[in-house]
């Protein structure tokens, strides 16, 4: 079944994602597009029942208020204009609509049907993927994280053995992560999986690189090069599958919003990439991705596993990556995950991990002065990864984790707990 859609055109609002989620929550699909979409592009979108022009405080760009093309007003579907009261431009200011106003526009004015659900989404994406791919093959970047695992399941449903999964061990994986990926996908799900050991290659490229954006782009670029090399060994590989989701795109910057950080699968892709992208989850928020995984029949343990960034521990080994700090991140993270599971926090806390910065502090070990690294613990709760609150850990649990890290992780003499929400902090440190 084709799902009805309400299109949100971004005219500088900071509430685009909130509005899109509100519309989806009442059962109607919604997508966000830039203000300069053309009439032809708008009309090419499927089942558009209405358009919302969503203005706000970022509407003025380089001294000029952004506007849609005049012909957009003749698109043939109902339109609703919203300008957030804090918008600093000469335009109509209307009170941001409440839930009843949104429902009235969506159902009464646009006559949209409440047919947005995961069963219909999966059916639509399977059809779109088959149309895009035809009889050719897709190379999927399979990290083993939630996003790439759900993409793998969806593509397996859509194109079966035309999918070739590639797992690259870049040396930035969590403890035993690569072994788990091979066991689950190759042995249990019978996916066509290629394993690539590229540890020395990636760490060599990253040696001495401290800037987070440069690290992300090196990791993203090197991923593509590895995939291109694997594709040349095969026949008919024209597409690259990725687990890109909507927060990745938002945080990599829009025409009216500044970049928060480049995601390796958005801002970190090289311009001369040889593949066409297949990104069936790119309009989903994280909780929707998990619901999609359940709809596809993936086990709960896989769907609700810890989110893991594409650059892996590379953005948790802060600053220039060194093998000793990378190992400290890996081992402390394993301890944290083990203790959270024992305490039942793995089902309560949305994301938790450790990070190790590139500085040392004075301490005491074995009755002698030590000069070692700190480990930072991060534990946050969120729905859509756009905002996050800090989990208030039980003191006894935190002390047990601290004792284990200090006793078991080499080169560490302090454990810190990050109390910063998002915003002002991001979930990851880099």
């Amino acid at each position: 079944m084709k799902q009805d859609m309400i299109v949100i055109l971004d005219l500088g609002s900071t509430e685009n994602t909130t509005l899109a989620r509100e519309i989806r929550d009442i059962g109607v699909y919604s997508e966000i597009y830039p203000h300069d979409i053309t009439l032809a592009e708008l009309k090419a979108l499927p089942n558009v029942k209405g358009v919302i022009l969503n203005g706000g405080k970022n509407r003025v760009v380089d001294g000029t208020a952004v506007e849609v093309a005049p012909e957009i007003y003749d698109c043939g579907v109902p339109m609703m204009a919203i300008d957030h009261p804090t918008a600093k431009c000469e335009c109509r200011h209307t009170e941001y609509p409440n839930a009843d106003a949104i429902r009235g526009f969506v159902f009464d004015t646009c006559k949209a049907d409440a047919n947005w659900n995961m069963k219909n989404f999966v059916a639509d994406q399977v059809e779109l993927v088959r149309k895009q791919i035809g009889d050719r093959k897709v190379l999927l970047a399979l990290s083993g994280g939630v996003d790439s695992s759900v993409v793998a399941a969806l593509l397996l449903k859509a194109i079966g053995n035309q999918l070739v999964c590639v797992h690259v061990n870049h040396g930035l994986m969590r403890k035993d992560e690569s072994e788990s990926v091979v066991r689950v996908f190759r042995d249990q799900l019978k996916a066509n999986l290629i394993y690539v050991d590229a540890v020395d290659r990636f760490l060599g490229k990253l040696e001495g690189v401290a800037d987070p954006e440069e690290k992300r782009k090196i990791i993203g670029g090197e991923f593509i090069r590895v995939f291109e090399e694997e594709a040349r060994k095969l026949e008919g590989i024209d597409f690259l599958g990725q687990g890109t989701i909507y927060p990745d795109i938002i945080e990599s910057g829009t025409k009216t919003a500044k970049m928060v950080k480049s995601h390796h699968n958005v801002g970190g892709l090289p311009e001369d990439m040889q593949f066409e992208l297949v990104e069936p989850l790119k309009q989903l928020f994280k909780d929707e991705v998990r619901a999609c995984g359940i709809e596809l029949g993936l086990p709960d343990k896989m769907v609700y596993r810890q989110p893991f960034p594409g650059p892996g521990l590379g953005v948790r080994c802060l600053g220039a990556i060194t093998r000793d700090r990378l190992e400290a991140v890996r081992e402390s993270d394993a301890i944290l995950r083990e203790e959270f599971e024992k305490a039942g926090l793995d089902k309560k806390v949305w994301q938790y991990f450790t990070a190790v910065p590139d500085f040392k502090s004075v301490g005491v070990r074995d009755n002698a002065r030590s000069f070692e690294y700190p480990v930072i613990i991060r534990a946050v709760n969120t729905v859509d990864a756009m905002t996050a609150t800090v989990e208030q850990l039980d003191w006894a649990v935190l002390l047990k984790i601290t004792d284990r890290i200090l006793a078991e992780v080499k080169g560490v003499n302090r454990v810190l707990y990050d109390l910063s929400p998002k915003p002002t902090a991001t979930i990851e440190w880099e």
Side-chain angles (χ1 to χ4, degrees):
M1 172 185 282
K2 293 293 184 184
Q3 297 166 107
D4 290 346
M5 182 179 5
I6 302 296
V7 170
I8 299 169
L9 297 186
D10 176 16
L11 276 74
S13 176
T14 57
E15 304 292 330
N16 290 312
T17 56
T18 301
L19 182 57
R21 290 191 60 83
E22 193 171 332
I23 295 170
R24 292 186 191 188
D25 286 346
I26 60 176
V28 178
Y29 187 54
S30 181
E31 287 187 0
I32 303 165
Y33 287 90
H35 69 278
D36 57 358
I37 190 173
T38 66
L39 181 60
E41 290 170 336
L42 180 58
K43 286 192 170 183
L45 298 175
N47 285 47
V48 175
K49 295 295 185 178
V51 173
I52 297 177
L53 309 178
N54 204 29
K57 67 179 183 180
N58 294 326
R59 189 165 187 171
V60 177
V61 178
D62 297 329
T64 304
V66 298
E67 290 286 354
V68 297
E71 57 267 25
I72 291 294
Y73 292 98
D74 299 320
C75 64
V77 298
M79 303 186 75
M80 180 183 197
I82 302 170
D83 279 306
H84 198 278
T86 57
K88 297 178 181 178
C89 60
E90 294 298 324
C91 52
R92 293 187 308 275
H93 291 304
T94 57
E95 184 179 353
Y96 202 76
N98 58 29
D100 289 339
I102 294 297
R103 290 184 68 92
F105 175 72
V106 171
F107 294 121
D108 299 335
T109 306
C110 299
K111 309 298 183 186
D113 290 330
N115 55 9
W116 159 244
N117 56 58
M118 276 305 150
K119 182 177 181 180
N120 290 342
F121 175 81
V122 168
D124 284 352
Q125 289 302 318
V126 165
E127 181 181 338
L128 288 171
V129 166
R130 287 173 178 168
K131 184 177 180 180
Q132 181 184 9
I133 305 305
D135 60 358
R136 292 175 290 176
K137 293 182 179 179
V138 179
L139 201 61
L140 173 65
L142 178 57
S143 68
V146 176
D147 303 334
S148 66
S149 297
V150 174
V151 168
L154 198 154
L155 293 180
L156 282 168
K157 181 179 180 69
I159 58 173
N161 60 12
Q162 291 169 247
L163 174 66
V164 180
C165 297
V166 177
H167 174 71
V168 179
N169 182 0
H170 49 21
L172 307 171
M173 305 296 291
R174 290 173 291 197
K175 189 172 184 179
D176 299 326
E177 189 85 19
S178 287
E179 294 83 353
S180 174
V181 169
V182 172
R183 183 170 62 253
V184 171
F185 286 93
R186 179 186 288 169
D187 300 342
Q188 297 177 15
L189 300 182
K190 308 302 180 185
N192 184 3
L193 176 65
I194 296 172
Y195 173 83
V196 181
D197 184 345
V199 174
D200 292 338
R201 174 174 174 170
F202 273 82
L203 296 186
K205 290 273 187 180
L206 290 164
E207 187 173 354
V209 179
D211 181 72
E213 282 298 297
E214 190 176 353
K215 286 200 295 187
R216 287 177 177 272
K217 290 180 178 180
I218 288 172
I219 294 168
E222 202 62 21
F223 260 119
I224 299 299
R225 298 298 170 236
V226 171
F227 294 140
E228 287 176 340
E229 291 169 14
E230 293 303 320
R232 283 194 287 268
K233 302 174 186 177
L234 305 165
E235 292 184 1
I237 300 288
D238 298 308
F239 299 91
L240 175 65
Q242 290 198 137
T244 306
I245 65 173
Y246 195 67
D248 297 343
I249 296 172
I250 289 293
E251 291 191 336
S252 292
T254 67
K255 294 174 182 176
T256 58
K258 294 180 180 179
M259 181 184 71
V260 177
K261 58 187 176 183
S262 289
H263 287 260
H264 81 288
N265 51 357
V266 181
L269 296 176
E271 293 181 1
D272 60 343
M273 187 180 70
Q274 301 299 307
F275 299 109
E276 180 180 337
L277 292 178
V278 180
E279 300 173 305
L281 306 182
K282 68 181 180 181
Q283 292 292 347
L284 295 187
F285 295 95
K286 178 66 82 171
D287 58 316
E288 294 171 332
V289 173
R290 297 187 194 279
C292 185
I294 295 298
E295 176 64 31
L296 288 163
L298 290 176
D300 285 3
K301 189 172 183 179
M302 181 180 295
V303 170
Y304 290 100
R305 71 186 306 176
Q306 276 290 289
F308 194 53
L313 300 183
V315 292
R316 296 176 180 174
C317 185
L318 309 180
I321 296 171
T322 59
R323 292 187 184 243
D324 60 338
R325 284 193 301 114
L326 186 58
E327 192 61 23
V329 176
R330 184 176 287 117
E331 291 298 324
S332 60
D333 177 77
I335 290 170
L336 180 68
R337 287 187 288 128
E338 183 178 326
E339 292 301 326
F340 264 45
E341 184 175 1
K342 287 180 182 176
L345 291 167
D346 58 323
K347 296 179 177 64
K348 181 183 177 186
V349 182
W350 188 83
Q351 187 167 9
Y352 46 93
F353 58 88
T354 62
V356 176
D358 58 348
F359 60 82
K360 295 180 178 180
S361 67
V362 176
V364 178
R365 187 177 295 280
D366 299 327
N367 297 317
R369 179 183 183 274
S370 69
F371 197 54
E372 298 175 310
Y373 297 111
V375 166
I376 302 161
I377 296 174
R378 185 86 163 126
V380 298
N381 289 309
T382 181
V383 172
D384 55 16
M386 302 304 295
T387 62
T389 58
V390 176
E391 174 68 18
Q392 299 184 33
L393 290 184
D394 181 80
W395 196 247
V397 173
L398 196 54
L399 287 178
K400 185 176 182 182
I401 294 168
T402 299
D403 289 344
R404 283 198 59 190
I405 289 175
L406 294 178
E408 300 174 32
V409 181
K410 186 178 178 181
V412 169
N413 66 359
R414 292 180 190 268
V415 176
L416 316 174
Y417 191 56
D418 183 353
L419 293 170
S420 313
K422 177 181 180 178
T424 56
T426 54
I427 293 175
E428 297 287 343
W429 269 62
E430 289 188 343

